[in-house]
Amino acid sequence: MAAAAAAAALLNPAAAALLIPPYGAVPFTLPSLPYRRIRSSCLRNDRSFSLDLRLRRRKFKPPPASANKQLPELRTSEPGSEASPSSSGDGGGGLDLGWLPAFPHVLIASMSNFLFGYHIGVMNGPIVSIARELGFEGNSILEGLVVSIFIAGAFIGSISCGSLVDRLGCRRTFQIDTVPLILGAIISAQANSSDEILLGRFLVGLGIGVNTVLVPIYISEVAPMKYRGSLGTICQIGTCLGIIASLYLGIPSEDDPHWWRTILYIASVPGFIITLGMQFAVDSPRWLCKVGKVGEAREVISNLWGASEVDKAIEEFQSVIKSDGNEIDSKWLELLQEPHLRVACIGGALFVLQQFAGINGVLYFSSLTFQDVGITNGALASFLVGLTNFAGALCALYLMDKQGRKRLLVGSYIGMAVAMFLVVYAVSFPLDEDLSHSLSILGTLMYIFTFASGAGPVTGIIIPELSSSRMRGKIMGFSFSVHWVCNFLVGLFFLALTETCGVRSVYGGFSAVSLLSAIFAYYFIVETKGRSLEEIEMSLNPNLQGRKRDN
């Protein structure tokens, strides 16, 4: 049944692209294609997560001068200086609890990614049963539309999220966003016609589009500076767990044609958990300060970052707010102004390069690569892919706040380029069959691992870090809307390109784009590790630099 569902998705490649989240690798299998056997591999982007369990204080050591020629260099005071904004701020003693105080709040937010992953996998097996019961079995357009309408909702949700966050803050936006997620799941579960299942899937996509923007913004604004990268990758783990849960719960659908209704009802449960959990979670101290709730902002900072950080953080928040203006809601046209335009272009470019580096295409044909070496069990192939993805996520978990975002991003894309070259070499040259199969598997798993350890998680983390406080929601909304469009285009044209140009040319193009992405990251991305969001913003905004010098 799962293979049949995948075949239905293949009839509409754009629909299959929706099974891939914006930042992480997803196990997915497809049956053999009628027109040729194609070796390849699979992965999908995910943010990754690493908790530094050391509870001792750590002095920040500024990295060497950036080679970046496009963005201004981020300036950091010496660690020992009195005004150093990057020091740990532990000041006069007291225990640095590190990531622990913020962890419950980040965990609740990451439940949104669990729900995201669940909805990615929940249609993988039951789509055939749904089509049969609702009367559109054999209609490839409707079967594909049930999956692909998700992307239309996600695009609208991504665009609308920025305004909601500006006006309501992250906490209330999370709670409002659970409405379409819960309603969409229930409507889908109760559907008695194709129109009802389409409405349910659209509502779910709308909620997921908001979440993909909202979660990284929330985590970046509530996480302590030293652990922002590590905590920011928890959502990748949530996405993986959601996919695993949905695939496991979907197993009975092979024997019970009505089981799909049960697993769609289950999809509404995490929404209720998020609604309740966010009632006890904190809001972003930056947003609280912006709307005049300075006392609440102080309390949040004291509880999550430590009492010694309060005065310094509030001073930085208010300095940025004075420069940006007192209006709560930003305007989309402000994206055309510097430095917002620069960051929005970088964010959009990162997602364009990420998608056209071939993650969706590699994912489509990974099962064929494993079939070539005798692994015909789709579940086992998906397990191998998922295990490799999880290993890459753990690697990023450990390295994100140690090596930094830029180094991980550059190294990840170089690794992806090498992996694609191995697959192309295995396909193109007359090698021993066993050696060819081994190279294909090695290239596949290497691509998955290197993507999951860098290009997947870093992209979702660094964009809100580079964005200004005023325009963070709009920049993230724009960047993720670009992601959804590129996701759709790659899914729509990948199979046709492969059939017309051949696997070697397409995968060679993926390798070239990966190298281009590494070059782009080296010259256009500045390191954000160990710097507060306000310090990053002051370094990138000439107006704030002038104000800081005047003070």
Side-chain angles (χ1 to χ4, degrees), residues 452-521:
S453 62
V458 172
T459 303
I461 291 172
I462 199 168
I463 298 173
E465 291 183 327
L466 293 175
S467 304
S468 67
S469 178
R470 176 174 175 78
M471 294 296 294
R472 188 165 291 126
K474 296 292 195 302
I475 291 174
M476 286 291 288
F478 168 78
S479 300
F480 271 95
S481 66
V482 170
H483 162 269
W484 289 115
V485 171
C486 293
N487 191 307
F488 176 81
L489 292 175
V490 171
L492 185 63
F493 294 111
F494 173 75
L495 292 178
L497 284 174
T498 303
E499 189 174 18
T500 303
C501 303
V503 178
R504 178 173 56 185
S505 298
V506 174
Y507 277 45
F510 291 162
S511 182
V513 173
S514 296
L515 284 177
L516 178 63
S517 302
I519 295 171
F520 178 87

Side-chain angles (χ1 to χ4, degrees), residues 122-188:
V122 76
M123 299 300 288
N124 188 42
I127 183 63
V128 174
S129 298
I130 294 172
R132 182 179 299 119
E133 185 170 342
L134 299 186
F136 56 89
E137 184 180 14
N139 187 331
S140 60
I141 295 179
L142 264 180
E143 289 179 359
L145 189 59
V146 167
V147 181
S148 62
I149 197 170
F150 182 96
I151 202 168
F155 177 84
I156 296 173
S158 296
I159 290 293
S160 63
C161 183
S163 297
L164 290 174
V165 172
D166 285 344
R167 293 178 179 273
L168 303 175
C170 290
R171 191 164 69 96
R172 293 303 179 204
T173 304
F174 269 116
Q175 293 180 313
I176 291 173
D177 184 49
T178 59
V179 174
L181 290 170
I182 294 171
L183 285 179
I186 294 175
I187 291 173
S188 299

Side-chain angles (χ1 to χ4, degrees), residues 409-474:
L409 196 59
V410 173
S412 173
Y413 276 121
I414 291 175
M416 290 163 62
V418 173
M420 284 289 92
F421 175 78
L422 286 177
V423 176
V424 171
Y425 184 80
V427 171
S428 303
F429 295 94
L431 302 173
D432 176 78
E433 185 175 4
D434 291 338
L435 177 59
S436 177
H437 290 166
S438 297
L439 285 178
S440 296
I441 291 293
L442 178 62
T444 297
L445 297 182
M446 180 179 175
Y447 184 96
I448 293 169
F449 181 86
T450 53
F451 184 92
S453 62
V458 172
T459 303
I461 291 172
I462 199 168
I463 298 173
E465 291 183 327
L466 293 175
S467 304
S468 67
S469 178
R470 176 174 175 78
M471 294 296 294
R472 188 165 291 126
K474 296 292 195 302

Side-chain angles (χ1 to χ4, degrees), residues 40-70:
S40 175
S41 75
C42 112
L43 167 82
R44 184 40 209 126
N45 51 15
D46 260 324
R47 309 165 265 173
S48 58
F49 136 69
S50 117
L51 295 179
D52 189 341
L53 299 178
R54 291 176 298 173
L55 299 181
R56 60 183 175 84
R57 297 192 298 273
R58 183 178 62 188
K59 295 284 188 178
F60 168 71
K61 296 180 181 179
S66 170
N68 190 309
K69 299 179 181 179
Q70 301 298 324

Side-chain angles (χ1 to χ4, degrees), residues 323-335:
S323 177
D324 286 342
N326 295 323
E327 293 183 19
I328 297 176
D329 193 8
S330 57
K331 304 296 188 297
W332 278 103
L333 287 177
E334 293 180 51
L335 281 180

Side-chain angles (χ1 to χ4, degrees), residues 72-76 534-542 545:
E73 180 181 354
L74 296 179
R75 292 195 287 270
T76 305
E534 284 66 38
E535 182 187 353
I536 298 169
E537 182 173 354
M538 290 177 184
S539 298
L540 299 179
N541 192 331
Q545 291 176 20

